Coordinates of all heavy atoms in Angstrom, one line a residue:
G143 N -13.8 -50.6 92.2 CA -13.2 -51.4 93.3 C -13.5 -50.9 94.7 O -12.6 -51.0 95.6
V144 N -14.7 -50.5 94.9 CA -15.1 -49.9 96.2 C -16.1 -50.7 96.9 O -17.1 -51.1 96.3 CB -15.6 -48.4 95.9 CG1 -16.3 -47.9 97.2 CG2 -14.5 -47.5 95.5
I145 N -15.9 -50.8 98.2 CA -17.0 -51.2 99.1 C -17.2 -50.0 100.1 O -16.3 -49.6 100.8 CB -16.6 -52.5 100.0 CG1 -16.3 -53.6 99.1 CG2 -17.7 -52.8 101.0 CD1 -15.7 -54.9 99.8
A146 N -18.4 -49.5 100.0 CA -18.8 -48.3 100.8 C -19.8 -48.7 101.9 O -20.8 -49.4 101.6 CB -19.4 -47.2 99.9
L147 N -19.6 -48.1 103.1 CA -20.4 -48.5 104.2 C -20.8 -47.3 105.1 O -19.9 -46.4 105.3 CB -19.7 -49.5 105.1 CG -19.3 -50.9 104.5 CD1 -18.3 -51.6 105.4 CD2 -20.5 -51.7 104.2
S148 N -22.0 -47.3 105.6 CA -22.3 -46.4 106.7 C -21.8 -47.0 108.0 O -22.2 -48.1 108.3 CB -23.8 -46.2 106.8 OG -24.2 -45.8 108.1
W149 N -20.9 -46.3 108.7 CA -20.4 -46.9 109.9 C -21.5 -47.1 111.0 O -21.5 -48.1 111.7 CB -19.3 -46.0 110.5 CG -18.7 -46.4 111.7 CD1 -18.6 -45.8 112.9 CD2 -18.0 -47.7 112.0 NE1 -17.9 -46.5 113.9 CE2 -17.5 -47.7 113.3 CE3 -17.7 -48.8 111.1 CZ2 -16.8 -48.8 113.8 CZ3 -17.0 -49.9 111.7 CH2 -16.6 -49.9 113.0
K150 N -22.4 -46.2 111.1 CA -23.6 -46.3 112.0 C -24.3 -47.6 111.7 O -24.6 -48.4 112.6 CB -24.5 -45.1 111.9 CG -25.7 -45.2 112.8 CD -26.6 -43.9 112.7 CE -27.8 -44.0 113.5 NZ -28.8 -45.0 113.0
S151 N -24.7 -47.8 110.4 CA -25.4 -49.0 110.1 C -24.6 -50.3 110.2 O -25.1 -51.3 110.5 CB -25.9 -48.9 108.6 OG -26.8 -47.8 108.5
F152 N -23.3 -50.2 110.0 CA -22.4 -51.3 110.2 C -22.5 -51.7 111.7 O -22.6 -52.9 112.0 CB -21.0 -51.0 109.8 CG -20.0 -52.1 110.0 CD1 -19.8 -53.0 109.0 CD2 -19.3 -52.2 111.2 CE1 -18.9 -54.1 109.2 CE2 -18.4 -53.3 111.4 CZ -18.2 -54.2 110.4
L153 N -22.4 -50.8 112.6 CA -22.5 -51.1 114.0 C -23.8 -51.7 114.4 O -23.9 -52.6 115.2 CB -22.2 -49.8 114.8 CG -20.8 -49.3 114.8 CD1 -20.7 -48.0 115.6 CD2 -19.8 -50.3 115.3
E154 N -24.9 -51.1 113.8 CA -26.2 -51.6 114.1 C -26.3 -53.1 113.7 O -27.0 -53.8 114.4 CB -27.3 -50.8 113.4 CG -27.5 -49.4 113.9 CD -28.4 -48.6 113.1 OE1 -28.6 -48.9 111.9 OE2 -29.0 -47.6 113.6
G155 N -25.7 -53.5 112.7 CA -25.7 -54.9 112.2 C -25.2 -55.8 113.2 O -25.6 -57.0 113.3
Y156 N -24.2 -55.4 114.0 CA -23.7 -56.3 115.0 C -24.2 -56.1 116.4 O -23.9 -56.8 117.4 CB -22.1 -56.2 115.1 CG -21.5 -56.9 113.9 CD1 -21.0 -56.3 112.8 CD2 -21.3 -58.3 114.0 CE1 -20.5 -56.9 111.7 CE2 -20.7 -59.0 112.9 CZ -20.3 -58.3 111.8 OH -19.8 -59.0 110.8
L157 N -25.0 -55.0 116.6 CA -25.6 -54.8 117.9 C -26.6 -55.8 118.3 O -26.6 -56.3 119.5 CB -26.3 -53.4 117.9 CG -26.8 -52.9 119.2 CD1 -25.7 -52.8 120.3 CD2 -27.6 -51.6 119.1

Side-chain angles (χ1 to χ4, degrees):
V144 165
I145 299 172
L147 301 167
S148 155
W149 180 238
K150 176 179 178 292
S151 296
F152 179 89
L153 292 176
E154 287 176 341
Y156 282 100
L157 185 60

